Amino acid sequence: MADNQKFETFDLIQEITLNDGSKYAELGNIMMNGRAERAALNGLIQQVRILQLNIPHSTAVRTYEQYVNTHYQFPPVDVKTWDVWAKPEGPILAAYNQIMKENHVA
């Protein structure tokens, strides 16, 4: 996490449709959903839609949040690129899969 970046808390799951038509579920918050909406308007992705609001802030969510906040910069308001966050094998992918299962997305 960059020194000037605040820690983002995730409380929703959104579905991102990339320009090639592929879709994936990602955790985020209202700020990130707004960035995704801007990315869609800018043609960086096709669309975004919220699948689940107010997800429980479980241990798995905290694990995934910590990973994302440590490894990625959150986009500015006028987003210029769209990054798909990697989910490496091991505890991060396990946490992600658990979150999706617990929220009936997987």
Side-chain angles (χ1 to χ4, degrees), residues 10-14 25-28 52 54-66 68 87 91-106:
F10 298 150
D11 58 5
L12 60 82
I13 299 171
Q14 51 194 359
E26 189 57 83
L27 274 74
Q52 186 78 21
N54 300 321
I55 62 171
H57 201 241
S58 66
T59 300
V61 171
R62 286 190 296 275
T63 298
Y64 190 70
E65 276 175 349
Q66 182 66 39
V68 171
K87 291 148 188 74
I92 302 307
L93 182 58
Y96 173 84
N97 288 334
Q98 181 177 343
I99 295 161
M100 295 302 139
K101 183 178 178 184
E102 289 173 350
N103 288 280
H104 310 287
V105 175

Side-chain angles (χ1 to χ4, degrees), residues 64-84:
Y64 190 70
E65 276 175 349
Q66 182 66 39
Y67 164 74
V68 171
N69 276 282
T70 301
H71 290 86
Y72 293 95
Q73 292 276 329
F74 287 89
V77 173
D78 191 22
V79 59
K80 302 285 188 211
T81 62
W82 187 257
D83 294 325
V84 178

Side-chain angles (χ1 to χ4, degrees), residues 1-8 68-70 72-74:
M1 178 169 48
D3 292 338
N4 60 350
Q5 181 180 332
K6 78 178 194 102
F7 187 89
E8 295 291 337
V68 171
N69 276 282
T70 301
Y72 293 95
Q73 292 276 329
F74 287 89

Side-chain angles (χ1 to χ4, degrees), residues 41-59:
L41 291 172
N42 290 349
L44 303 173
I45 61 174
Q46 279 186 18
Q47 71 176 5
V48 59
R49 70 184 183 110
I50 295 175
L51 298 176
Q52 186 78 21
L53 286 169
N54 300 321
I55 62 171
H57 201 241
S58 66
T59 300

